[in-house]
Amino acid sequence: GAGVSQSPSNKVTEKGKDVELRCDPISGHTALYWYRQSLGQGLEFLIYFQGNSAPDKSGLPSDRFSAERTGGSVSTLTIQRTQQEDSAVYLCASSPGAGLRKGSPLHFGNGTRLTVT
Amino acid sequence: GQNIDQPTEMTATEGAIVQINCTYQTSGFNGLFWYQQHAGEAPTFLSYNVLDGLEEKGRFSSFLSRSKGYSYLLLKELQMKDSASYLCAVRVDSNYQLIWGAGTKLIIKP
């Protein structure tokens, strides 16, 4: 594909419902990242995948958050029992190889804007 | 702890020059990235510095001083389309972990 694709672009959900966010990375990119961006805050790291495995899940805010990646490609981020503080833009990024060697930049999707009412 | 500081907002005039500063205090350092993010869009890569000095790329330049924990992004001949947020990010010890600043919102006026 031309770039990283995320869906949906916008999601409004009621407090307590589950949501699933999807990320299609650039073809061939083995590294995949999920970030959360709140207004006036820096990007908050959530999870990193290398292939299908997630060597670093340390950024997931609580056990309501989980993510998986299948076939070394598509990833889904699931938030269970959503809370209002989960409202943010969720960004996915990918890069070739094992992370950021030699300044290889991250390629970001446009994000999913999640609003929990 | 890990900390990156950038001004929250800056205003400049079309055709002028603006410098956006970034200071960092991190547990390690393996390079610094600058990204541009237009409202509602994905951050896009602008520059990467790992050694001290100035990297020039067209109208944009980025400078790094590792001893001072300091970088700046210099934008010349400003255009209205340069109105965006500019994000500074430091790669720390691992080969995948980035620490991000909150971003600087740049407003360009005619």
Side-chain angles (χ1 to χ4, degrees):
Chain A
V4 178
S5 177
Q6 291 187 246
S7 61
S9 54
N10 280 284
K11 177 71 178 178
V12 180
T13 189
E14 292 181 353
K15 177 182 173 182
K17 301 281 189 182
D18 298 352
V19 295
E20 193 171 277
L21 313 180
R22 177 188 168 103
C23 172
D24 263 295
I26 293 172
S27 178
H29 281 193
T30 57
L32 186 146
Y33 306 72
W34 282 99
Y35 286 94
R36 181 165 70 176
Q37 187 176 34
S38 301
L39 195 63
Q41 305 290 320
L43 272 66
E44 177 188 1
F45 171 79
L46 298 179
I47 189 168
Y48 160 72
F49 285 93
Q50 181 56 234
N52 289 339
S53 65
D56 189 347
K57 304 179 182 180
S58 63
L60 294 177
S62 74
D63 59 8
R64 296 186 296 105
F65 288 72
S66 63
E68 65 176 16
R69 189 180 185 193
T70 55
S73 181
V74 172
S75 175
T76 54
L77 176 69
T78 301
I79 309 173
Q80 295 178 309
R81 305 181 302 280
T82 52
Q83 304 293 313
Q84 287 184 332
E85 61 262 29
D86 299 335
S87 296
V89 175
Y90 289 81
L91 290 167
C92 174
S94 69
S95 71
L100 304 167
R101 291 178 300 178
K102 296 183 180 179
S104 177
L106 299 184
H107 300 264
F108 284 87
N110 284 341
T112 294
R113 181 175 298 279
L114 175 65
T115 304
V116 182
T117 61
Chain B
Q2 318 273 32
N3 192 53
I4 296 182
D5 288 316
Q6 305 178 234
T8 303
E9 187 174 298
M10 298 181 71
T11 302
T13 304
E14 189 178 14
I17 298 173
V18 70
Q19 177 175 311
I20 302 174
N21 295 327
C22 170
T23 58
Y24 61 90
Q25 302 90 37
T26 55
S27 57
F29 181 85
N30 278 295
L32 186 145
F33 294 82
W34 283 97
Y35 281 78
Q36 180 190 58
Q37 185 179 24
H38 286 99
E41 297 183 10
T44 54
F45 170 73
L46 288 178
S47 68
Y48 172 72
N49 295 71
V50 67
L51 299 176
D52 290 349
L54 189 68
E55 295 279 344
E56 297 187 75
K57 192 184 291 186
R59 293 189 300 114
F60 291 6
S61 303
S62 57
F63 171 83
L64 175 68
S65 169
R66 289 172 296 171
S67 63
K68 296 181 179 178
Y70 168 69
S71 173
Y72 67 73
L73 182 69
L74 190 72
L75 291 75
K76 302 176 184 177
E77 301 168 16
L78 287 169
Q79 302 175 9
M80 296 304 292
K81 67 178 182 180
D82 297 330
S83 292
S85 287
Y86 291 85
L87 311 176
C88 171
V90 171
R91 174 183 158 192
V92 288
D93 293 327
S94 75
N95 70 342
Y96 64 86
Q97 186 63 280
L98 286 175
I99 306 300
W100 294 82
T104 298
K105 182 178 180 181
L106 178 64
I107 300 168
I108 309 297
K109 296 186 174 179

